[in-house]
Amino acid sequence: MKSSFSAPTTDCVEVACDLERAHIRSSRNRNGDTLAVPGAAWSALVDFAAARDSATSIRQS
């Protein structure tokens, strides 16, 4: 999965999930190292970021 906010010329991360882990890599260096984190940790990070984004949007309204 690539971020919907990324442009073709900017740095971004890509995430692939399996049943146990989220595998994260740089879209700029696809042959480089990856970071694997437990699926629950990735889910918690995504939930945290979404909640933070929602809170920021509400304050800016």
Side-chain angles (χ1 to χ4, degrees):
M1 164 181 21
K2 187 172 177 184
S3 170
S4 59
F5 293 102
S6 65
T9 58
T10 59
D11 295 339
C12 188
V13 296
E14 297 175 336
V15 179
C17 296
D18 60 27
L19 295 175
E20 296 179 9
R21 303 212 183 309
H23 304 270
I24 307 158
R25 70 178 181 187
S26 169
S27 61
R28 188 171 203 178
N29 183 10
R30 292 185 173 155
N31 294 322
D33 293 334
T34 62
L35 173 66
V37 298
W42 179 253
S43 181
L45 175 64
V46 170
D47 290 345
F48 172 79
R52 192 164 161 84
D53 186 50
S54 294
T56 301
S57 297
I58 292 169
R59 282 194 300 257
Q60 292 177 354
S61 298

